[in-house]
Structure formats: C-alpha cells, structure tokens
Amino acid sequence: MPEKGLNAYPAVVEWLGGFVPNWLAEVLYRVGAGVLICILIATLALVLVWMLRKVIGHMQCRLGPRVTGPFGLLQTAADALKLLQKEDIIPANVDKLLFILAPYVTFFSTGMIFMVLPLSPTWILNDLDVGVLFFVAFGSLASFGLLMGGFSSYNKYSMVGGMRSVAQVVSYEVPMVLALLGAVMLAGSLSTQQIVLQQEGLWLGFIPKWFIFLQPLGFAIYFLCGLAETSQTPFDLPEGESELGAGFNTEYSGMRWGLFFLAEFANAFAISAMATTLFLGGWHGPVFSFLPWLWPFVWFMAKAVALTFCMMWIRSTWLRFRIDQMMDFGWKVLVPLSLLNIFISAGEVAIIRSGIIARLIGG
Amino acid sequence: MDGAQTGAYAAFGAMTALVIGGGLGVVFFRNIFYAATSMVLCFLGVAGIYFSLQANFLAVMQVLIYIGAVAIMIVFAIMLTRRSQMVDTNRFVRSLSQLAIALAAVTCIGIILIELAIFAPWQISGKVPAPDITRFLGEAMMSRFAIPFEIAAVLLLVALIGAVMIALEEVRKS
C-alpha cells in the first residue's frame, strides 16, 4: 500500500527543484499539469466518442463505425482530422470576441475539474483540501461559456439554448451539492483523496466499504444531476435538435464546435469520475503483484468508464424532457429528496460514531 | 528574497492586474455584456489572490457564489432584456461629469490608502493559522456563530419565498 494521501504536487515539485530553481519548478509543474490534462481529455474523447457510437449503434440494432481501422477504432481520429481541416467560419453578425472566447471558457473550466480527480493513491494533480467544492465551482463556470456562445451568436435559437443551459445548471446544482454533502459528511473531509481513503476496507469480509451502500439515494440524485449539469439525454434541452436547431452551438462549426464537443465528453467523464470517487470507492480494488502501482489507476478508470457507459445507455434509450417537466422534477422532487438524504446521512454518521455496528459484527 | 517569494509576488501581481483590468472593463466597456464578462475576470482574479494566500475555501466560494451565481444572474437579466444591437448599452460611460466625480473619489481614497500603507504601523500577528481552515470555519459556524448563521439562513429563506410570491402574482394575472 503506498503512503496514504500522497499528492503528486509537493513530490514532483521537490524532485524538479533538484534541477532548476524553485519558482521554475512550480511553474513547470503547473504547465505540465495543464498539458497532461489536455492529453488526457483528448485521449478520453477519442475513446469515448468511438464507444458512444458503438454502444448506441448496437443498442439500436446497427453496427456503428467499422470501416476505419479495426472495429472502426480510427473513426474518431478521422473525424478530428476532418474538423481540423474545415474552414474556420465566423458568421458576419456574431459578436466576434465573445464568439471566439466561448469554447475556450467552457474547455478551460472542464479542464480545471480534472485537477482534483484522484486517479490513484499517488496520482492527483493537486489534492486541495476543498476538492469537492472546487469541482462544483468550476462545473458551474462551464455553463458561463455556453451562455457566452449562445449570446454572442445573435440568433434566437442559440440564445434560448444558452438560457436553457444556464437555467438547468443553476437549478440542478442545488440538489447536486446537497447530494454530495452526504458523502462528505460520512468522510468528514472535502478533499477528494481523503474521501477515497475513507472508503478503504470491507464490511463482513466481502462488501467493499463504498459510500454507495450507505448513500444509495445520494448516489442516484448525484448521477441524475450530473446528467443535467452536462446536458446529457434526457436533459439535453440546451441543444434540443427538434426545437432549437442545435441550440447554443448552432452557429459554430469546425474546431470551435469541436472544442464544445470535447468539453461535453470530458464533462460527462468527469461527472462519472467524481461519482466513482465519492460513492464507488475511487481507486480501491484488488491489487495484483504484477505492476502494483498501475492497478488503482485501472480500477478508477474502469469504474468511471462503466458509469459513462450507463450515461450512453440512457442516451440511446430515453426521450428528452420538456423544459417545464425538467424544472418541476429538479425543484419539487430532487431538492426535497436530497434534503431527506442529508438527514439520513446525519443518522448514519451518528450510528457509525457510536460504534454500535462495530460491536455487532465485530469489525 | 528567495525563489518561492518571487513566485508569490509574481502570482500576486498577475492576479492584481486581472482584478484591476477586470474592474476597469466593467466601468468602461460600452457593451454591457462585455462589462459582465470582465466582471467575471475580476472575480476570477480575486479567487486567484485567495488561492495564492492559501485561503482555498474562500477562493472556491468566490468562484461558486460570485461567478456561479451572481455573475450568471446578471448575464441572465441582460439576456432577458436584450436589444437587437448591444452597442452603447452600458450608459454613463461617456459622461465627463461622472468621470470627474469618480476620479476625485478615487484620488481621495487612494491618498488615504497610501498614507495608511506607508505611515501606519503594521502589526504581524504571532498566532499560528488553523491547520484545517475549512473544518475550523464549519465548527465555528455551528457553535460560536450559530445564531448569526441561522439568521442569515432565515433571511435567505424570506428572500426565496418573496421571489416565489412575486412570480406567482405574475402567473395569476396572465
């Protein structure tokens, strides 16, 4: 077992400090972290987009991509190349500055989220003591980018799309934070790495001590709100094709559109990864003697990708909400339920602290 | 001055530039959506200063509340009252008399602040900062400052119910 709560940041900076001055080590670490996040997001997008097509294809009795490379694996790469070659069109009537900035704002805030994901005991870019809040804060910043994109297009469909996106994020953020609170209360910490460490061990020798078993309601609420926050089906109203053209990104094309698309996939993965961290035990899993440092990373990725698969499953089988139904569901169902969940968590914390269970099962 | 301190000063300088630049943008942009966007920049700069002072909780709250809620509400309001062209929506920008008043006010406050910075004795507290500031804040809010905390909560609840009531009246009329 590697040292508990180890964080890449001080270790790497100290190691770099052996070669270059301290301040340069700090700067290098931050630049390196940014580059790493971009590479991670690009790789994830390549794999996840291919997976999305295959999953939805098979669920709808089609085959999905299969000509480009083995099993169509190179399809996404080919699409990316096509997007890069496309002419960069900025429509004449848009607000140029905001139009250009919007995809970057969205992509930036998505990238920031990856900083606090604990990929393995030692691999976390920065183990902030308020990691969970950091995740929520920058998740809401992403919607500002969508709003900028929708507004700057000067197109009523784009604007309605942007406004829907923000209304959705602002409404669903409330139950989402309240649902996260359950896991935070059980762990007694806001640091993502600490929350994972709290889920170590087994109950009765075979049930992993994951918070999902204590917080099934919290997990369900969080996952639903995550879908809404990242505009996945059934909450994809901001880009509802049947009503709004393509919503906030109607006027976007080429790589600018590609950045929005990339951010959407990275966001969906980040939501799954955060659910893994908070409720599914993060990187905990059996470690084998072959390459012991790699297994936690593999488990983390496997759990997060499995959750992303569930998102795709929902996407291929469910219909879109109507906007008033969505608002009703958020405020009248999810918010009361998540408040109930806080009471449940408080009860659980009280029971665990009193030590009754430990005496009963002798663990 | 060692390396870490240089880095801290550089970060502080960059963040201050962001705050001041963003603030000036809010005042001087003629397009009000640009003004709102530069306000977001300004808030990000403030969050950055909190981060560089290792007040992580405050920094994250700054992003969550001021950008995630306040700025987005302002932008929302702008979008709901949008006109066909956004040029010249930030009134008062070209008003010379207002500029003069603002300059006078800024000069007065600036003189006072510079005086304070140079001549006032600066006390450096010998106390050790709390190791886990978030836990410390949380415990203080739930014990010593429980009543102010609850009063703030009641205030917010009243505002929430008031907003719903106003919206209900609009629905009833139509």
Side-chain angles (χ1 to χ4, degrees):
Chain A
M1 195 72 213
E3 197 179 329
K4 287 201 172 181
L6 203 60
N7 173 356
Y9 169 56
V12 174
V13 167
E14 196 180 319
W15 175 76
L16 275 175
F19 303 97
V20 291
N22 269 337
W23 64 271
L24 191 62
E26 297 263 344
V27 171
L28 277 180
Y29 179 80
R30 279 163 177 78
V31 173
V35 172
L36 262 182
I37 287 174
C38 286
I39 294 174
L40 187 67
I41 289 179
T43 326
L44 275 173
L46 278 183
V47 177
L48 289 179
V49 173
W50 171 80
M51 193 173 131
L52 174 77
R53 288 173 159 179
K54 275 291 188 194
V55 168
I56 293 190
H58 281 277
M59 280 183 180
Q60 297 172 341
C61 297
R62 294 183 283 114
L63 287 172
R66 59 190 201 87
V67 179
T68 335
F71 308 108
L73 264 172
L74 294 176
Q75 184 63 49
T76 330
D79 286 345
L81 275 180
K82 186 202 88 176
L83 279 180
L84 281 173
Q85 288 172 4
K86 268 189 148 179
E87 185 190 350
D88 179 23
I89 298 172
I90 298 179
N93 280 332
V94 302
D95 192 318
K96 283 207 182 58
L97 183 66
L98 292 177
F99 187 82
I100 292 170
L101 275 178
Y104 296 107
V105 171
T106 306
F107 192 77
F108 159 79
S109 42
T110 305
M112 291 294 271
I113 293 173
F114 279 74
M115 208 166 85
V116 292
L117 292 180
L119 302 179
S120 94
T122 44
W123 299 354
I124 176 167
L125 286 171
N126 200 347
D127 185 15
L128 285 177
D129 54 351
V130 286
V132 175
L133 284 176
F134 187 88
F135 167 78
V136 176
F138 280 91
S140 71
L141 185 61
S143 73
F144 194 80
L146 304 189
L147 196 57
M148 278 167 78
F151 177 84
S152 65
S153 300
Y154 282 124
N155 168 336
K156 56 188 167 203
Y157 298 114
S158 301
M159 199 177 79
V160 172
M163 281 174 51
R164 277 186 180 181
S165 138
V166 172
Q168 187 168 316
V169 169
V170 169
S171 318
Y172 278 74
E173 208 168 51
V174 178
M176 183 167 163
V177 175
L178 292 176
L180 291 179
L181 215 54
V184 171
M185 281 162 79
L186 282 174
S189 170
L190 281 167
S191 141
T192 45
Q193 191 70 282
Q194 282 302 321
I195 291 175
V196 174
L197 287 171
Q198 292 288 329
Q199 302 178 57
E200 192 186 350
L202 300 168
W203 281 304
L204 300 173
F206 67 97
I207 307 171
K209 280 191 181 175
W210 296 350
F211 286 158
I212 186 174
F213 298 115
L214 295 172
Q215 295 275 322
L217 185 61
F219 175 73
I221 297 171
Y222 170 78
F223 195 67
L224 279 176
C225 296
L227 287 178
E229 194 111 318
T230 53
S231 316
Q232 297 279 330
T233 319
F235 302 101
D236 57 346
L237 293 141
E239 43 183 314
E241 290 93 346
S242 48
E243 309 151 19
L244 294 178
F248 64 89
N249 58 21
T250 306
E251 304 286 353
Y252 282 88
S253 62
M255 213 46 217
R256 291 187 204 290
W257 176 82
L259 268 182
F260 272 132
F261 192 64
L262 216 63
E264 189 191 314
F265 269 83
N267 249 328
F269 179 80
I271 291 282
S272 310
M274 206 27 118
T276 307
T277 307
L278 292 170
F279 297 104
L280 294 179
W283 37 260
H284 283 304
V287 174
F288 303 105
S289 54
F290 174 69
L291 290 180
W293 53 270
L294 191 65
W295 284 103
F297 178 67
V298 171
W299 290 122
F300 182 86
M301 280 296 176
K303 288 172 190 173
V305 170
L307 275 181
T308 318
F309 172 79
C310 291
M311 284 188 175
M312 293 171 181
W313 190 357
I314 292 172
R315 188 170 178 155
S316 66
T317 47
W318 280 16
L319 299 172
R320 187 178 296 139
F321 268 139
R322 224 170 50 208
I323 183 90
D324 58 321
Q325 292 171 335
M326 192 201 74
M327 283 301 181
D328 277 359
F329 183 62
W331 286 105
K332 295 181 187 163
V333 179
L334 287 183
V335 170
L337 277 180
S338 56
L339 285 173
L340 177 71
N341 186 53
I342 287 189
F343 284 106
I344 296 175
S345 331
E348 283 170 356
V349 171
I351 290 174
I352 291 172
R353 290 227 177 121
S354 69
I356 295 174
I357 297 176
R359 247 178 283 153
L360 278 180
I361 62 173
Chain B
M1 199 160 68
D2 62 345
Q5 220 170 359
T6 322
Y9 280 128
F12 180 77
M15 290 303 155
T16 313
L18 207 58
V19 172
I20 294 177
L24 287 177
V26 176
V27 182
F28 286 109
F29 269 127
R30 306 190 67 187
N31 180 336
I32 202 154
F33 199 93
Y34 279 34
T37 313
S38 58
M39 190 168 71
V40 170
L41 269 186
C42 178
F43 288 154
L44 265 183
V46 174
I49 287 182
Y50 286 145
F51 264 124
S52 67
L53 294 174
Q54 300 186 343
N56 290 348
F57 183 74
L58 268 184
V60 170
M61 280 299 141
Q62 172 81 17
V63 175
L64 194 60
I65 296 171
Y66 283 93
I67 299 177
V70 173
I72 283 193
M73 279 305 131
I74 289 175
V75 170
F76 220 78
I78 295 172
M79 280 171 95
L80 286 171
T81 56
R82 190 178 82 128
R83 339 165 148 207
S84 52
Q85 278 302 318
M86 293 303 290
V87 190
D88 231 4
T89 38
N90 196 4
R91 304 285 183 79
F92 314 118
V93 168
R94 287 294 165 93
S95 154
L96 270 180
S97 58
Q98 302 223 357
L99 192 67
I101 297 171
L103 269 181
V106 166
T107 325
C108 293
I109 297 173
I111 288 172
I112 295 171
L113 282 182
I114 291 169
E115 284 265 329
L116 278 178
I118 295 174
F119 298 110
W122 286 86
Q123 289 189 356
I124 295 174
S125 168
K127 285 181 190 162
V128 185
D132 188 348
I133 193 82
T134 317
R135 178 178 294 271
F136 178 78
L137 277 175
E139 275 167 4
M141 268 187 188
M142 284 294 150
S143 54
R144 213 177 133 199
F145 300 105
I147 291 174
F149 180 70
E150 289 299 320
I151 290 174
V154 169
L155 187 73
L156 287 177
L157 184 69
V158 169
L160 202 67
I161 294 174
V164 171
M165 286 312 291
I166 292 171
L168 261 186
E169 219 135 89
E170 294 281 309
V171 172
R172 279 205 198 112
K173 265 182 210 160
S174 59

